[in-house]
Amino acid sequence: MPVKITITFGPPTDPEAFERHYVETHAPLVQALPGLRAYEYGRALTNFDGSAPDAFWVVSLTFDDVEAMHASFASTPGQKTTDDMPRFITGPMKS
């Protein structure tokens, strides 16, 4: 059964630098993950009541199953993806 992991990033210290690094550097690393079936990312929008969102950026990754997800992140591309995260995350993150 497919599994999805959703990651939310809180406001970074420099939103433009975060977005630039994510799109130009990090997204290509994520796209190289073995077994990745679907991948979406982008800025969080305001809430329906007009209030600010709890997150700045939202990411969704889909794999065939939990084992495929773990194997993907244990792979060389998975390690490269994980190793890149401290280069752009300056706010809170939840998964």
Side-chain angles (χ1 to χ4, degrees):
M1 171 179 281
V3 295
K4 182 180 285 195
I5 181 170
T6 301
I7 304 164
T8 58
F9 297 93
T13 55
D14 183 342
E16 288 180 19
F18 176 100
E19 189 167 347
R20 183 174 47 256
H21 184 92
Y22 193 94
V23 172
E24 295 175 5
T25 303
H26 196 72
L29 295 172
V30 174
Q31 290 168 334
L33 289 171
L36 183 66
R37 298 296 175 226
Y39 173 43
E40 296 177 304
Y41 62 86
R43 272 195 192 218
L45 299 175
T46 57
N47 293 316
F48 288 117
D49 66 1
S51 63
D54 294 331
F56 169 77
W57 197 260
V58 180
V59 176
S60 177
L61 308 170
T62 304
F63 296 90
D64 286 340
D65 52 39
V66 173
E67 293 79 15
M69 180 185 70
H70 288 298
S72 183
F73 282 102
S75 70
T76 299
Q79 286 300 302
K80 287 180 182 179
T81 301
T82 302
D83 291 347
D84 183 56
M85 293 176 78
R87 295 184 180 110
F88 68 95
I89 299 172
T90 57
M93 181 184 93
K94 294 182 192 175
S95 61

